[in-house]
Amino acid sequence: MTRLTILEYPDPRLRTVAKPVQVVDAALRRLIDDMLETMYDAPGVGLAATQVDVHLRLLVADVSEDKNEPLVFINPELIEQQEIEVSQEGCLSVPGVYEDVTRAQRVRVRAMDRFGKVFERDLTGLLAVCVQHEIDHLDGKLFVDYLSDLKRTRIRKKLEKERRQKREAPASSRAPSI
């Protein structure tokens, strides 16, 4: 398996609307495995293909405490949403930022599994929020889009400053590469 590079806000590729998966094959299952490894390593609870610069309607998630319940959603679609609430969200593409976002706490989703079998599943709590968040990525939308323009601008500037400081840090102060 391969750890993939996660795109970070405000990378314009995060705004690409993903295309439906046409074929579920060994190559797609390899991508799924790479996405799961990347998500676990990051660490995160969900990852959309868009975040790793693959513009297909595919997401993975695992909200279990032991990180041993990986879920795959190919061509996911929300078919029902209930119980709207505000909760804290973060994002692997917006590292270190957590903000309140309004989302449904109960959803019904239709998708295909890693073998192309269609299923419907009722999701609640963190998993429901996670899947909505990742579907937004597939639609070219980020959780910061739910925030005010002022907050979004502050977040973008903060992340750009942190990246610039990392690039400018003297080599001696960086951790050794392995």
Side-chain angles (χ1 to χ4, degrees):
M1 290 192 284
T2 304
R3 187 177 189 297
L4 306 169
T5 300
I6 297 172
L7 301 177
E8 292 185 1
Y9 177 74
D11 192 309
R13 293 172 290 181
L14 289 167
R15 299 300 184 176
T16 305
V17 176
K19 293 180 174 25
V21 171
Q22 299 296 323
V23 178
V24 178
D25 58 9
L28 187 71
R29 284 188 285 280
R30 241 183 336 274
L31 173 62
I32 289 167
D33 292 340
D34 291 346
M35 286 176 60
L36 284 165
E37 179 179 340
T38 301
M39 177 189 73
Y40 288 131
D41 190 55
V45 296
L47 185 67
T50 301
Q51 291 177 273
V52 293
D53 203 20
V54 176
H55 303 287
L56 294 173
R57 296 195 71 78
L58 164 66
L59 69 91
V60 296
D62 186 345
V63 299
S64 68
E65 286 201 25
D66 295 332
K67 302 300 178 207
N68 61 358
E69 298 175 26
L71 299 170
V72 175
F73 299 84
I74 300 169
N75 296 337
E77 55 183 307
L78 295 173
I79 54 178
E80 191 176 323
Q81 300 179 45
Q82 300 174 352
E83 297 180 28
I84 306 301
E85 293 181 21
V86 174
S87 59
Q88 280 272 303
E89 282 188 31
C91 180
L92 296 176
S93 291
V94 190
V97 176
Y98 299 88
E99 292 288 341
D100 287 340
V101 178
T102 302
R103 297 215 191 253
Q105 297 299 303
R106 299 175 84 69
V107 299
R108 183 166 191 79
V109 65
R110 179 183 301 129
M112 289 187 291
D113 66 14
R114 69 182 292 124
F115 301 104
K117 183 180 177 199
V118 175
F119 67 91
E120 285 188 15
R121 184 166 173 187
D122 293 317
L123 311 176
T124 60
L126 179 58
L127 183 55
V129 169
C130 176
V131 167
Q132 292 169 85
H133 176 109
E134 303 309 334
I135 288 174
D136 274 355
H137 276 297
L138 301 178
D139 294 333
K141 187 172 186 174
L142 292 124
F143 91 103
V144 295
D145 296 339
Y146 291 94
L147 308 176
S148 69
D149 288 342
L150 179 61
K151 272 191 178 179
R152 199 168 34 256
T153 299
R154 283 185 184 158
I155 290 167
R156 182 181 46 76
K157 286 182 178 180
K158 174 185 175 252
L159 293 173
E160 287 172 344
K161 180 180 178 183
E162 288 172 1
R163 281 187 213 109
R164 190 171 47 254
Q165 287 173 335
K166 271 186 191 173
R167 284 192 306 267
E168 295 170 356
S172 62
S173 70
R174 293 187 199 142
S177 298
I178 297 174

